[in-house]
Amino acid sequence: MDKERFNNLLTNYTSLSEEEALQLSELSDQFPYSQVIHSLAARAAQDCNLPSKEKLLHVSAVYCTDRSAFKAMMTAPRRMRIESPSLATQIQVLETQTEIATAQLHEQVAYDIANLQESKRLYEMMIERLEKEKAFPLFNKTETPKPILKENETLIEEIKLTKKKIKPEGIKQKEQIEIIDQFIKTQPSIPRPKAITPVATDSDLAEPSAQFGENIVSETLVEILLKQGKKEKAIEALKKLIWKFPQKKAYFAAQIEELRK
């Protein structure tokens, strides 16, 4: 039994025939755990007065989960049968939908073809316009490319051009123009500034550190001075440590005595 057939039986459960009742009885044996099939089989057997109606009623009562719903189904009055739409009607609906979809597809294809034709026409017009236009050369064959000038030569060329534009309005301007002419004739070169190299010194960098005050005197400084062989300055630092740390006076005094030996 297909899905459409079963839905038709479910819709017309109050007007089932004896043949349909037998089919539902067989179906309940194939699907013994289906509550809906047992209920339909019991109602059909009851309406058709089959010998198995009592048995099917008891089996359906066992499998049902809602006794009130089962009772309402069994006691519902018989009604007119509702037939499902015929297969021809369904086929007609499908054919109508197919025709609509095909018409829409034809319209879309026609629209796309029109767009492509318009794009082709615009492209051909653009190509035709470009072929008519002549490409301008970068420079005439008779013209010679300007030589690349150095930095000082460029400056002199700028001075020449500026000189031609200036008209002397007095004696002072005339003298200035003469000075510029003389400058151009000599063609002076402007040397590049040389990089300044730092002067290396061999002075002892630790020497300024020897000039220390009381706030930087420490035992570490004394050790550094001793490693540099500067005993006198180490003794001077120890004397300052005696004033800075009087509680360690004996220790610093012993070091001073040891250095003086």
mmCIF file of all heavy atoms in Angstrom, residues 1-14 16 20 23-28 30-31 33-41 73 81-82 84:
data_model
loop_
_atom_site.group_PDB
_atom_site.id
_atom_site.type_symbol
_atom_site.label_atom_id
_atom_site.label_comp_id
_atom_site.label_asym_id
_atom_site.label_seq_id
_atom_site.Cartn_x
_atom_site.Cartn_y
_atom_site.Cartn_z
ATOM 1 N N MET A 1 0.864 -1.189 0.000
ATOM 2 C CA MET A 1 0.000 0.000 0.000
ATOM 3 C C MET A 1 0.897 1.234 0.000
ATOM 4 O O MET A 1 1.786 1.365 0.847
ATOM 5 C CB MET A 1 -0.910 0.003 1.234
ATOM 6 C CG MET A 1 -1.887 1.165 1.264
ATOM 7 S SD MET A 1 -2.980 1.106 2.697
ATOM 8 C CE MET A 1 -3.945 -0.348 2.333
ATOM 9 N N ASP A 2 0.589 2.127 -0.957
ATOM 10 C CA ASP A 2 1.418 3.320 -1.053
ATOM 11 C C ASP A 2 0.912 4.399 -0.092
ATOM 12 O O ASP A 2 -0.125 4.246 0.578
ATOM 13 C CB ASP A 2 1.441 3.838 -2.494
ATOM 14 C CG ASP A 2 0.038 4.119 -3.014
ATOM 15 O OD1 ASP A 2 -0.924 3.989 -2.232
ATOM 16 O OD2 ASP A 2 -0.094 4.465 -4.199
ATOM 17 N N LYS A 3 1.693 5.469 -0.035
ATOM 18 C CA LYS A 3 1.406 6.546 0.904
ATOM 19 C C LYS A 3 0.074 7.229 0.588
ATOM 20 O O LYS A 3 -0.722 7.526 1.504
ATOM 21 C CB LYS A 3 2.558 7.559 0.853
ATOM 22 C CG LYS A 3 2.387 8.741 1.782
ATOM 23 C CD LYS A 3 3.580 9.664 1.673
ATOM 24 C CE LYS A 3 3.404 10.883 2.569
ATOM 25 N NZ LYS A 3 4.536 11.820 2.457
ATOM 26 N N GLU A 4 -0.192 7.492 -0.692
ATOM 27 C CA GLU A 4 -1.418 8.180 -1.073
ATOM 28 C C GLU A 4 -2.655 7.335 -0.729
ATOM 29 O O GLU A 4 -3.668 7.846 -0.239
ATOM 30 C CB GLU A 4 -1.395 8.489 -2.577
ATOM 31 C CG GLU A 4 -2.600 9.281 -3.048
ATOM 32 C CD GLU A 4 -2.553 9.543 -4.546
ATOM 33 O OE1 GLU A 4 -1.547 9.188 -5.178
ATOM 34 O OE2 GLU A 4 -3.545 10.093 -5.068
ATOM 35 N N ARG A 5 -2.546 6.044 -0.957
ATOM 36 C CA ARG A 5 -3.658 5.124 -0.647
ATOM 37 C C ARG A 5 -3.946 5.118 0.856
ATOM 38 O O ARG A 5 -5.099 5.165 1.298
ATOM 39 C CB ARG A 5 -3.294 3.723 -1.132
ATOM 40 C CG ARG A 5 -4.262 2.631 -0.739
ATOM 41 C CD ARG A 5 -5.543 2.741 -1.492
ATOM 42 N NE ARG A 5 -6.403 1.585 -1.243
ATOM 43 C CZ ARG A 5 -7.712 1.562 -1.480
ATOM 44 N NH1 ARG A 5 -8.315 2.627 -1.987
ATOM 45 N NH2 ARG A 5 -8.409 0.472 -1.235
ATOM 46 N N PHE A 6 -2.872 5.068 1.670
ATOM 47 C CA PHE A 6 -3.051 5.032 3.124
ATOM 48 C C PHE A 6 -3.652 6.338 3.627
ATOM 49 O O PHE A 6 -4.514 6.342 4.518
ATOM 50 C CB PHE A 6 -1.705 4.746 3.799
ATOM 51 C CG PHE A 6 -1.792 4.625 5.284
ATOM 52 C CD1 PHE A 6 -2.293 3.459 5.868
ATOM 53 C CD2 PHE A 6 -1.407 5.672 6.106
ATOM 54 C CE1 PHE A 6 -2.388 3.350 7.244
ATOM 55 C CE2 PHE A 6 -1.499 5.555 7.478
ATOM 56 C CZ PHE A 6 -1.986 4.384 8.058
ATOM 57 N N ASN A 7 -3.205 7.480 3.087
ATOM 58 C CA ASN A 7 -3.764 8.769 3.493
ATOM 59 C C ASN A 7 -5.249 8.862 3.146
ATOM 60 O O ASN A 7 -6.048 9.447 3.894
ATOM 61 C CB ASN A 7 -2.998 9.917 2.816
ATOM 62 C CG ASN A 7 -1.624 10.105 3.409
ATOM 63 O OD1 ASN A 7 -1.383 9.759 4.564
ATOM 64 N ND2 ASN A 7 -0.697 10.645 2.628
ATOM 65 N N ASN A 8 -5.638 8.281 2.008
ATOM 66 C CA ASN A 8 -7.049 8.267 1.613
ATOM 67 C C ASN A 8 -7.895 7.454 2.609
ATOM 68 O O ASN A 8 -9.003 7.842 2.990
ATOM 69 C CB ASN A 8 -7.181 7.689 0.210
ATOM 70 C CG ASN A 8 -8.586 7.858 -0.349
ATOM 71 O OD1 ASN A 8 -9.361 8.673 0.126
ATOM 72 N ND2 ASN A 8 -8.926 7.076 -1.356
ATOM 73 N N LEU A 9 -7.353 6.305 3.078
ATOM 74 C CA LEU A 9 -8.067 5.494 4.071
ATOM 75 C C LEU A 9 -8.174 6.236 5.398
ATOM 76 O O LEU A 9 -9.202 6.155 6.090
ATOM 77 C CB LEU A 9 -7.342 4.162 4.271
ATOM 78 C CG LEU A 9 -7.312 3.203 3.067
ATOM 79 C CD1 LEU A 9 -6.503 1.955 3.413
ATOM 80 C CD2 LEU A 9 -8.716 2.830 2.618
ATOM 81 N N LEU A 10 -7.109 6.938 5.753
ATOM 82 C CA LEU A 10 -7.115 7.678 7.019
ATOM 83 C C LEU A 10 -8.127 8.820 6.985
ATOM 84 O O LEU A 10 -8.796 9.106 7.983
ATOM 85 C CB LEU A 10 -5.702 8.213 7.299
ATOM 86 C CG LEU A 10 -5.460 8.842 8.682
ATOM 87 C CD1 LEU A 10 -5.693 7.807 9.776
ATOM 88 C CD2 LEU A 10 -4.033 9.388 8.761
ATOM 89 N N THR A 11 -8.244 9.468 5.808
ATOM 90 C CA THR A 11 -9.209 10.572 5.681
ATOM 91 C C THR A 11 -10.651 10.060 5.732
ATOM 92 O O THR A 11 -11.534 10.698 6.333
ATOM 93 C CB THR A 11 -8.956 11.326 4.357
ATOM 94 O OG1 THR A 11 -7.605 11.771 4.311
ATOM 95 C CG2 THR A 11 -9.881 12.527 4.235
ATOM 96 N N ASN A 12 -10.897 8.896 5.157
ATOM 97 C CA ASN A 12 -12.261 8.332 5.070
ATOM 98 C C ASN A 12 -12.427 7.150 6.027
ATOM 99 O O ASN A 12 -12.981 6.100 5.663
ATOM 100 C CB ASN A 12 -12.552 7.890 3.632
ATOM 101 C CG ASN A 12 -12.499 9.047 2.652
ATOM 102 O OD1 ASN A 12 -13.415 9.866 2.594
ATOM 103 N ND2 ASN A 12 -11.439 9.102 1.866
ATOM 104 N N TYR A 13 -11.919 7.279 7.275
ATOM 105 C CA TYR A 13 -11.991 6.142 8.203
ATOM 106 C C TYR A 13 -13.430 5.815 8.613
ATOM 107 O O TYR A 13 -13.699 4.719 9.122
ATOM 108 C CB TYR A 13 -11.126 6.433 9.444
ATOM 109 C CG TYR A 13 -11.708 7.469 10.381
ATOM 110 C CD1 TYR A 13 -12.472 7.093 11.485
ATOM 111 C CD2 TYR A 13 -11.476 8.821 10.184
ATOM 112 C CE1 TYR A 13 -12.993 8.039 12.349
ATOM 113 C CE2 TYR A 13 -11.995 9.763 11.032
ATOM 114 C CZ TYR A 13 -12.745 9.381 12.132
ATOM 115 O OH TYR A 13 -13.269 10.321 12.996
ATOM 116 N N THR A 14 -14.392 6.746 8.388
ATOM 117 C CA THR A 14 -15.794 6.479 8.747
ATOM 118 C C THR A 14 -16.586 5.877 7.584
ATOM 119 O O THR A 14 -17.785 5.606 7.747
ATOM 120 C CB THR A 14 -16.474 7.779 9.199
ATOM 121 O OG1 THR A 14 -16.401 8.740 8.143
ATOM 122 C CG2 THR A 14 -15.816 8.330 10.453
ATOM 123 N N LEU A 16 -15.194 3.231 5.243
ATOM 124 C CA LEU A 16 -14.314 2.242 4.611
ATOM 125 C C LEU A 16 -15.131 1.033 4.160
ATOM 126 O O LEU A 16 -16.114 0.619 4.811
ATOM 127 C CB LEU A 16 -13.233 1.799 5.593
ATOM 128 C CG LEU A 16 -12.285 2.922 6.077
ATOM 129 C CD1 LEU A 16 -11.324 2.373 7.124
ATOM 130 C CD2 LEU A 16 -11.515 3.520 4.908
ATOM 131 N N GLU A 20 -11.340 -2.785 1.948
ATOM 132 C CA GLU A 20 -10.355 -1.955 2.647
ATOM 133 C C GLU A 20 -10.159 -2.432 4.078
ATOM 134 O O GLU A 20 -9.043 -2.380 4.620
ATOM 135 C CB GLU A 20 -10.812 -0.498 2.619
ATOM 136 C CG GLU A 20 -10.779 0.110 1.224
ATOM 137 C CD GLU A 20 -11.452 1.469 1.156
ATOM 138 O OE1 GLU A 20 -12.243 1.801 2.068
ATOM 139 O OE2 GLU A 20 -11.199 2.215 0.184
ATOM 140 N N GLN A 23 -7.810 -5.337 3.948
ATOM 141 C CA GLN A 23 -6.446 -4.861 3.673
ATOM 142 C C GLN A 23 -5.803 -4.286 4.945
ATOM 143 O O GLN A 23 -4.633 -4.531 5.232
ATOM 144 C CB GLN A 23 -6.474 -3.798 2.572
ATOM 145 C CG GLN A 23 -6.813 -4.338 1.196
ATOM 146 C CD GLN A 23 -6.872 -3.241 0.153
ATOM 147 O OE1 GLN A 23 -6.724 -2.066 0.458
ATOM 148 N NE2 GLN A 23 -7.134 -3.637 -1.103
ATOM 149 N N LEU A 24 -6.605 -3.543 5.742
ATOM 150 C CA LEU A 24 -6.080 -2.974 6.982
ATOM 151 C C LEU A 24 -5.787 -4.064 8.005
ATOM 152 O O LEU A 24 -4.813 -3.960 8.778
ATOM 153 C CB LEU A 24 -7.072 -1.966 7.559
ATOM 154 C CG LEU A 24 -7.172 -0.633 6.808
ATOM 155 C CD1 LEU A 24 -8.356 0.175 7.314
ATOM 156 C CD2 LEU A 24 -5.884 0.169 6.945
ATOM 157 N N SER A 25 -6.587 -5.131 8.019
ATOM 158 C CA SER A 25 -6.326 -6.246 8.934
ATOM 159 C C SER A 25 -4.996 -6.919 8.601
ATOM 160 O O SER A 25 -4.209 -7.264 9.486
ATOM 161 C CB SER A 25 -7.471 -7.240 8.869
ATOM 162 O OG SER A 25 -7.232 -8.329 9.730
ATOM 163 N N GLU A 26 -4.758 -7.134 7.305
ATOM 164 C CA GLU A 26 -3.474 -7.709 6.895
ATOM 165 C C GLU A 26 -2.321 -6.752 7.203
ATOM 166 O O GLU A 26 -1.230 -7.174 7.603
ATOM 167 C CB GLU A 26 -3.519 -8.032 5.398
ATOM 168 C CG GLU A 26 -4.500 -9.138 5.031
ATOM 169 C CD GLU A 26 -4.563 -9.359 3.527
ATOM 170 O OE1 GLU A 26 -3.833 -8.617 2.798
ATOM 171 O OE2 GLU A 26 -5.316 -10.238 3.075
ATOM 172 N N LEU A 27 -2.570 -5.463 7.023
ATOM 173 C CA LEU A 27 -1.512 -4.465 7.277
ATOM 174 C C LEU A 27 -1.165 -4.402 8.761
ATOM 175 O O LEU A 27 0.001 -4.183 9.120
ATOM 176 C CB LEU A 27 -1.991 -3.092 6.784
ATOM 177 C CG LEU A 27 -0.912 -2.022 6.587
ATOM 178 C CD1 LEU A 27 0.071 -2.460 5.499
ATOM 179 C CD2 LEU A 27 -1.561 -0.691 6.177
ATOM 180 N N SER A 28 -2.171 -4.630 9.636
ATOM 181 C CA SER A 28 -1.880 -4.621 11.075
ATOM 182 C C SER A 28 -1.005 -5.803 11.474
ATOM 183 O O SER A 28 -0.241 -5.721 12.447
ATOM 184 C CB SER A 28 -3.178 -4.639 11.874
ATOM 185 O OG SER A 28 -3.889 -5.855 11.623
ATOM 186 N N GLN A 30 1.358 -6.962 9.504
ATOM 187 C CA GLN A 30 2.710 -6.601 9.026
ATOM 188 C C GLN A 30 3.365 -5.545 9.928
ATOM 189 O O GLN A 30 4.576 -5.546 10.114
ATOM 190 C CB GLN A 30 2.620 -6.073 7.589
ATOM 191 C CG GLN A 30 2.117 -7.089 6.580
ATOM 192 C CD GLN A 30 1.971 -6.497 5.194
ATOM 193 O OE1 GLN A 30 2.406 -5.382 4.932
ATOM 194 N NE2 GLN A 30 1.338 -7.256 4.286
ATOM 195 N N PHE A 31 2.528 -4.657 10.483
ATOM 196 C CA PHE A 31 3.051 -3.596 11.361
ATOM 197 C C PHE A 31 2.317 -3.676 12.699
ATOM 198 O O PHE A 31 1.409 -2.878 12.987
ATOM 199 C CB PHE A 31 2.846 -2.216 10.718
ATOM 200 C CG PHE A 31 3.506 -2.062 9.379
ATOM 201 C CD1 PHE A 31 2.804 -2.289 8.194
ATOM 202 C CD2 PHE A 31 4.855 -1.708 9.290
ATOM 203 C CE1 PHE A 31 3.407 -2.143 6.967
ATOM 204 C CE2 PHE A 31 5.464 -1.565 8.061
ATOM 205 C CZ PHE A 31 4.747 -1.794 6.890
ATOM 206 N N TYR A 33 3.037 -2.876 15.657
ATOM 207 C CA TYR A 33 3.245 -1.836 16.674
ATOM 208 C C TYR A 33 2.689 -0.480 16.250
ATOM 209 O O TYR A 33 2.962 0.522 16.902
ATOM 210 C CB TYR A 33 4.744 -1.707 16.989
ATOM 211 C CG TYR A 33 5.337 -2.979 17.534
ATOM 212 C CD1 TYR A 33 6.140 -3.786 16.735
ATOM 213 C CD2 TYR A 33 5.090 -3.396 18.837
ATOM 214 C CE1 TYR A 33 6.695 -4.961 17.226
ATOM 215 C CE2 TYR A 33 5.627 -4.568 19.338
ATOM 216 C CZ TYR A 33 6.426 -5.338 18.526
ATOM 217 O OH TYR A 33 6.956 -6.505 19.016
ATOM 218 N N SER A 34 1.951 -0.434 15.166
ATOM 219 C CA SER A 34 1.385 0.827 14.678
ATOM 220 C C SER A 34 -0.009 1.028 15.280
ATOM 221 O O SER A 34 -0.948 0.271 14.980
ATOM 222 C CB SER A 34 1.315 0.832 13.150
ATOM 223 O OG SER A 34 0.671 2.001 12.693
ATOM 224 N N GLN A 35 -0.142 2.034 16.129
ATOM 225 C CA GLN A 35 -1.419 2.328 16.765
ATOM 226 C C GLN A 35 -2.460 2.790 15.745
ATOM 227 O O GLN A 35 -3.641 2.415 15.817
ATOM 228 C CB GLN A 35 -1.210 3.424 17.826
ATOM 229 C CG GLN A 35 -2.484 3.857 18.508
ATOM 230 C CD GLN A 35 -2.248 5.011 19.459
ATOM 231 O OE1 GLN A 35 -1.110 5.320 19.773
ATOM 232 N NE2 GLN A 35 -3.322 5.625 19.917
ATOM 233 N N VAL A 36 -2.069 3.586 14.757
ATOM 234 C CA VAL A 36 -2.998 4.116 13.766
ATOM 235 C C VAL A 36 -3.597 2.988 12.930
ATOM 236 O O VAL A 36 -4.817 2.938 12.682
ATOM 237 C CB VAL A 36 -2.285 5.147 12.874
ATOM 238 C CG1 VAL A 36 -3.233 5.666 11.796
ATOM 239 C CG2 VAL A 36 -1.762 6.297 13.704
ATOM 240 N N ILE A 37 -2.738 2.052 12.501
ATOM 241 C CA ILE A 37 -3.228 0.954 11.656
ATOM 242 C C ILE A 37 -4.203 0.070 12.449
ATOM 243 O O ILE A 37 -5.264 -0.341 11.931
ATOM 244 C CB ILE A 37 -2.047 0.134 11.118
ATOM 245 C CG1 ILE A 37 -1.207 0.998 10.168
ATOM 246 C CG2 ILE A 37 -2.537 -1.120 10.405
ATOM 247 C CD1 ILE A 37 0.042 0.328 9.656
ATOM 248 N N HIS A 38 -3.898 -0.219 13.725
ATOM 249 C CA HIS A 38 -4.797 -1.028 14.543
ATOM 250 C C HIS A 38 -6.141 -0.332 14.721
ATOM 251 O O HIS A 38 -7.204 -0.980 14.655
ATOM 252 C CB HIS A 38 -4.164 -1.310 15.912
ATOM 253 C CG HIS A 38 -3.129 -2.378 15.877
ATOM 254 N ND1 HIS A 38 -3.404 -3.685 15.538
ATOM 255 C CD2 HIS A 38 -1.789 -2.348 16.146
ATOM 256 C CE1 HIS A 38 -2.316 -4.423 15.599
ATOM 257 N NE2 HIS A 38 -1.294 -3.610 15.970
ATOM 258 N N SER A 39 -6.113 0.994 14.932
ATOM 259 C CA SER A 39 -7.367 1.732 15.129
ATOM 260 C C SER A 39 -8.196 1.736 13.854
ATOM 261 O O SER A 39 -9.433 1.538 13.891
ATOM 262 C CB SER A 39 -7.049 3.164 15.563
ATOM 263 O OG SER A 39 -6.331 3.175 16.772
ATOM 264 N N LEU A 40 -7.548 1.952 12.695
ATOM 265 C CA LEU A 40 -8.273 1.930 11.423
ATOM 266 C C LEU A 40 -8.867 0.546 11.146
ATOM 267 O O LEU A 40 -10.014 0.409 10.677
ATOM 268 C CB LEU A 40 -7.338 2.344 10.276
ATOM 269 C CG LEU A 40 -7.001 3.824 10.154
ATOM 270 C CD1 LEU A 40 -5.946 4.028 9.064
ATOM 271 C CD2 LEU A 40 -8.254 4.637 9.828
ATOM 272 N N ALA A 41 -8.097 -0.507 11.424
ATOM 273 C CA ALA A 41 -8.573 -1.874 11.179
ATOM 274 C C ALA A 41 -9.774 -2.201 12.070
ATOM 275 O O ALA A 41 -10.751 -2.850 11.622
ATOM 276 C CB ALA A 41 -7.442 -2.874 11.413
ATOM 277 N N MET A 73 -12.908 8.006 17.924
ATOM 278 C CA MET A 73 -12.738 7.467 16.576
ATOM 279 C C MET A 73 -13.708 6.325 16.309
ATOM 280 O O MET A 73 -14.292 6.214 15.230
ATOM 281 C CB MET A 73 -11.287 6.992 16.395
ATOM 282 C CG MET A 73 -10.998 6.397 15.031
ATOM 283 S SD MET A 73 -9.281 5.895 14.879
ATOM 284 C CE MET A 73 -9.287 5.236 13.208
ATOM 285 N N ARG A 81 -17.952 9.747 1.673
ATOM 286 C CA ARG A 81 -16.554 9.493 1.312
ATOM 287 C C ARG A 81 -15.988 10.676 0.537
ATOM 288 O O ARG A 81 -16.648 11.219 -0.349
ATOM 289 C CB ARG A 81 -16.449 8.210 0.483
ATOM 290 C CG ARG A 81 -15.013 7.720 0.304
ATOM 291 C CD ARG A 81 -15.027 6.409 -0.465
ATOM 292 N NE ARG A 81 -13.685 5.862 -0.558
ATOM 293 C CZ ARG A 81 -13.154 5.027 0.312
ATOM 294 N NH1 ARG A 81 -13.888 4.613 1.351
ATOM 295 N NH2 ARG A 81 -11.925 4.568 0.164
ATOM 296 N N ILE A 82 -14.770 11.045 0.874
ATOM 297 C CA ILE A 82 -14.072 12.153 0.201
ATOM 298 C C ILE A 82 -13.028 11.536 -0.717
ATOM 299 O O ILE A 82 -12.083 10.879 -0.248
ATOM 300 C CB ILE A 82 -13.400 13.097 1.220
ATOM 301 C CG1 ILE A 82 -14.454 13.657 2.189
ATOM 302 C CG2 ILE A 82 -12.659 14.216 0.515
ATOM 303 C CD1 ILE A 82 -13.863 14.424 3.348
ATOM 304 N N SER A 84 -9.963 11.532 -3.299
ATOM 305 C CA SER A 84 -8.755 12.335 -3.563
ATOM 306 C C SER A 84 -8.735 12.770 -5.017
ATOM 307 O O SER A 84 -9.376 12.146 -5.867
ATOM 308 C CB SER A 84 -7.508 11.504 -3.263
ATOM 309 O OG SER A 84 -7.498 10.352 -4.083
#
